[in-house]
Amino acid sequence: MSMFCYQCQETAKGTGCTVRGVCGKNEEVANLQDLLIYVNKGISEIVLKKPVDVKDLDEVNYQVLNSLFITITNANFDEKAIEDQIRKMLEIRDQLRGDLDPASLHDAATFTVESREDMLAKATSVGVLATENQDIRSLREMIIYGLKGMAAYTKHAWNIGKKNSEISAFIYEALAASLDDSLSVDDLVALTLKTGEYGVKAMALLDEANTSKYGHPEMTEVNIGVRKNPAILISGHDLVDLEQLLEQTKGTGVDVYTHSEMLPAHYYPKFKEYDNFAGNYGNAWWKQLEEFESFNGPILFTTNCIVPPRSEEIRQRIFTTGSSGYPGCKHILPDENGKKDFSEIIAMAKELPAPEEIEHGTIVGGFAHNQVMALADKIVEAVKTGAIKKFFVMAGCDGRMKSRDYYTEFAKNLPKDTVILTAGCAKYRYNKLDLGDIGGIPRVLDAGQCNDSYSLALIALKLKEVFELEDINDLPLAFNIAWYEQKAVIVLLALLSLGVKNIHLGPTLPGFLSPNVAKVLVENFGIAGIGEVDQDIDLFMAN
Ligand code: SF4
Ligand code: SF3
């Protein structure tokens, strides 16, 4: 058996993981994930061929989102969970196919497998490399990675009760298109941009879901030190899981701390009601190996990013839920009403010591669109008087590579009359630096999680309107985005679909871009990589 995966920024040698993932994914998991995507392509083809209304396919829509989410980098390492999901999707597929003529369908819509061995044997012929032409492969995969990010955001919104069958219909269209050998490079470039358009819709849906349920994020100081109580650390992106955990820990003497991408939960008015919502512990996902040791208490992963734990002791303290999973870690399922029972985690927390302090002080965030619009007059005035010369969108992901020190240096070296707009875990590279403020406006404005990049797009569109500009690219705004996993891919495609040009992407360009596809992105959208910090700053400031 062997594997091939090049979906994330840390892919081996920048070209593809072939033996074992740099993320820790083994070949069995990688191949099962390929097969899971393949069966979802088959389902998509069937949905397109059937006279069905996607609105009526609730369970199918949900499980397709779940399948895509499971395969996101660092979400699910559990072979058994992925095998179970493949079986579930095969059952859904076969039921849905009904009396369609198998001869009119692709293999993805008809193949059969019985055992895990069958699955693994089948997987080796349906993965990324099954597409021989490297440009077609590059575009198909870029679209699929965008769909994975879109599915994650759509599933979060769904969990809050906001659904959008148009998004599901597009996911079927795009997944089925990846089976269609008649599509040209131009067709797939067009589909890539359409993926970005739906990415905007998915982020808008999640924004609407989050803000209607939890209120609009507001400027908030978040404690990064610790209290004396035993505690639970919650990681990932799912706010419904957080809400349930806070409800169940209320009055128990157990505190709840956020980790990594859960930090922005502190910005929502709703979560401020909980006295035991203590603060944020640690940094971006990749530092968790050390930070989980000193945290002492149990950890709940609601989504990515899991790093394989290095000791059995830590593994026993990790719980997963939703699309995440790790072998040997307890997975918590919802009941028929969507309620999750976290009592085992709470009981464990009570038996363990309180977290050890690794930092102290506060960080400020909560600058999603509503809060920034409330400051609009001040911001516009600062731009008009020249107090703010330029905004830098530095949203995206953080990662392990040493070369990401670039972003810390970049933030430090930016002229003092510039403001950073950020979202996603990329912010941990500079959100604890004291970069000061401009007339009371902090120089780092954190909108929230990676999906809240949507807020940054809204802010840019608002500024365009205020300054009466024709083109978003005429704003004093530069994009220097850090990427790692597939949610950043959908954020990037969303920005492209909104007409944003000259985005710099780092620390390396995606390994899944073939030279020709990279050329299209460079020539049509001005996409560029990163270089030396000071030269890049000069370049950005000159444009
Ligand atoms: Fe490699 Fe990234 Fe795929 Fe993991 S997700 S196997 S690190 S390319
Ligand atoms: Fe980070 Fe994993 Fe992408 Fe939501 S938590 S941004 S990497």
Side-chain angles (χ1 to χ4, degrees):
M1 209 187 2
S2 65
M3 63 177 275
F4 186 83
C5 180
Y6 63 175
Q7 67 176 356
C8 83
Q9 186 271 326
E10 292 186 0
T11 194
K13 302 192 183 111
T15 53
C17 296
T18 54
V19 182
R20 186 184 174 84
V22 172
C23 59
K25 182 161 91 174
N26 64 30
E27 54 185 352
E28 198 160 352
V29 171
N31 287 314
L32 289 172
Q33 290 185 348
D34 286 348
L35 190 65
L36 180 55
I37 293 294
Y38 189 61
V39 64
N40 279 276
K41 292 180 186 178
I43 290 173
S44 301
E45 180 180 41
I46 293 168
V47 172
L48 293 193
K49 292 217 158 139
K50 283 253 182 177
V52 285
D53 188 336
V54 172
K55 265 205 205 82
D56 301 330
L57 296 178
D58 238 26
E59 176 63 9
V60 189
N61 297 343
Y62 188 76
Q63 289 305 337
V64 169
L65 298 178
N66 190 28
S67 300
L68 288 163
F69 201 166
I70 281 175
T71 68
I72 278 190
T73 300
N74 293 342
N76 202 315
F77 294 82
D78 187 353
E79 300 98 7
K80 178 72 177 66
I82 302 163
E83 179 186 333
D84 289 350
Q85 186 68 12
I86 293 172
R87 291 191 193 285
K88 186 181 283 171
M89 299 316 283
L90 285 170
E91 219 181 292
I92 287 178
R93 183 201 67 178
D94 294 348
Q95 231 173 40
L96 200 62
R97 190 175 60 230
D99 53 7
L100 277 183
D101 176 8
S104 70
L105 298 166
H106 284 87
D107 172 68
T110 59
F111 76 94
T112 54
V113 282
E114 296 293 333
S115 60
R116 164 103 55 109
E117 287 63 43
D118 276 0
M119 289 183 185
L120 291 170
K122 179 74 188 170
T124 51
S125 62
V126 303
V128 173
L129 299 177
T131 304
E132 278 168 20
N133 178 304
Q134 62 165 338
D135 298 328
I136 300 284
R137 183 196 304 153
S138 174
L139 288 161
R140 281 182 178 174
E141 294 305 319
M142 179 154 55
I143 291 165
I144 289 172
Y145 303 152
L147 296 178
K148 291 185 184 195
M150 188 190 304
Y153 297 153
T154 309
K155 187 170 176 247
H156 286 303
W158 188 306
N159 292 347
I160 297 180
K162 299 272 180 206
K163 304 178 192 177
N164 181 329
S165 58
E166 262 183 58
I167 295 174
S168 289
F170 175 72
I171 291 176
Y172 295 127
E173 175 192 333
L175 279 175
S178 71
L179 294 170
D180 185 349
D181 290 329
S182 74
L183 297 180
S184 65
V185 164
D186 286 349
D187 295 332
L188 291 171
V189 168
L191 189 61
T192 307
L193 281 187
K194 196 167 170 192
T195 307
E197 280 167 35
Y198 279 85
V200 177
K201 288 183 204 275
M203 284 192 269
L205 181 74
L206 181 52
D207 182 76
E208 157 69 15
N210 285 340
T211 55
S212 62
K213 181 125 193 241
Y214 304 120
H216 281 280
E218 54 197 17
M219 186 161 84
T220 306
E221 266 189 47
V222 181
N223 179 27
I224 56 171
V226 297
R227 300 178 184 172
K228 294 196 164 42
N229 302 325
I232 298 168
L233 190 60
I234 180 166
S235 193
H237 303 68
D238 197 288
L239 298 183
V240 177
D241 290 333
L242 171 68
E243 184 185 8
Q244 294 197 16
L245 183 66
L246 286 170
E247 268 304 309
Q248 292 174 42
T249 48
K250 199 164 65 177
T252 60
V254 172
D255 285 339
V256 173
Y257 291 81
T258 52
H259 171 250
S260 191
E261 271 286 72
M262 203 53 98
L263 157 68
H266 292 278
Y267 311 155
Y268 288 89
K270 168 74 187 169
F271 300 123
K272 293 182 180 163
E273 292 167 11
Y274 297 91
D275 296 339
N276 65 326
F277 195 28
N280 188 70
Y281 192 85
N283 292 279
W285 63 273
W286 59 278
K287 290 196 173 165
Q288 65 188 251
L289 293 180
E290 291 78 38
E291 293 172 353
F292 288 179
E293 284 194 23
S294 56
F295 185 75
N296 294 329
I299 300 118
L300 173 63
F301 272 102
T302 64
T303 69
N304 57 320
C305 274
I306 303 174
V307 177
R310 62 179 166 206
S311 74
E312 190 50 31
E313 189 275 319
I314 306 258
R315 188 197 296 233
Q316 290 311 314
R317 284 198 272 130
I318 293 179
F319 294 76
T320 63
T321 189
S323 303
S324 69
Y326 196 85
C329 296
K330 171 100 188 234
H331 186 79
I332 297 177
L333 291 167
D335 67 14
E336 62 282 3
N337 301 314
K339 173 140 194 276
K340 295 179 181 176
D341 180 359
F342 295 132
S343 53
E344 194 178 332
I345 310 182
I346 299 167
M348 181 187 278
K350 287 180 177 167
E351 298 297 316
L352 292 169
E356 208 175 290
E357 185 154 278
I358 51 173
E359 296 172 293
H360 63 273
T362 56
I363 42 179
V364 179
F367 297 93
H369 54 92
N370 214 50
Q371 175 67 84
V372 175
M373 299 308 175
L375 294 172
D377 289 350
K378 224 171 162 180
I379 292 173
V380 169
E381 190 53 28
V383 174
K384 284 189 175 154
T385 60
I388 295 179
K389 287 266 165 24
K390 201 156 202 146
F391 296 93
F392 283 84
V393 173
M394 291 177 70
C397 307
D398 197 11
R400 283 172 272 235
M401 278 185 175
K402 180 85 186 105
S403 53
R404 287 184 189 259
D405 290 347
Y406 166 95
Y407 295 103
T408 310
E409 287 308 304
F410 189 92
K412 275 190 196 159
N413 292 6
L414 274 175
K416 301 278 173 274
D417 51 9
T418 58
V419 170
I420 296 172
L421 304 175
T422 191
C425 64
K427 64 170 132 310
Y428 284 99
R429 289 280 166 179
Y430 41 80
N431 68 344
K432 292 170 186 171
L433 302 174
D434 186 11
L435 295 180
D437 65 79
I438 299 176
I441 303 163
R443 288 196 51 235
V444 179
L445 298 179
D446 175 23
Q449 296 180 338
C450 47
N451 44 288
D452 296 307
S453 301
Y454 172 71
S455 260
L456 305 181
L458 282 191
I459 293 164
L461 292 171
K462 181 73 190 169
L463 289 175
K464 180 183 133 195
E465 189 191 307
V466 173
F467 291 109
E468 296 174 2
L469 298 170
E470 287 290 313
D471 187 342
I472 199 168
N473 297 297
D474 293 336
L475 281 168
L477 180 68
F479 288 79
N480 196 2
I481 306 273
W483 83 285
Y484 170 59
E485 37 77 57
Q486 299 75 54
K487 296 180 190 181
V489 175
I490 195 61
V491 169
L492 174 71
L493 298 183
L495 291 174
L496 296 183
S497 81
L498 290 171
V500 176
K501 296 239 161 52
N502 305 322
I503 296 173
H504 287 241
L505 192 63
T508 54
L509 289 177
F512 56 78
L513 294 180
S514 68
N516 287 332
V517 172
K519 204 164 151 233
V520 170
L521 292 181
V522 171
E523 284 174 0
N524 297 349
F525 302 98
I527 295 265
I530 58 169
E532 296 300 320
V533 170
D534 289 331
Q535 280 167 8
D536 284 359
I537 291 177
D538 289 347
L539 183 83
F540 280 121
M541 293 305 290
N543 287 324

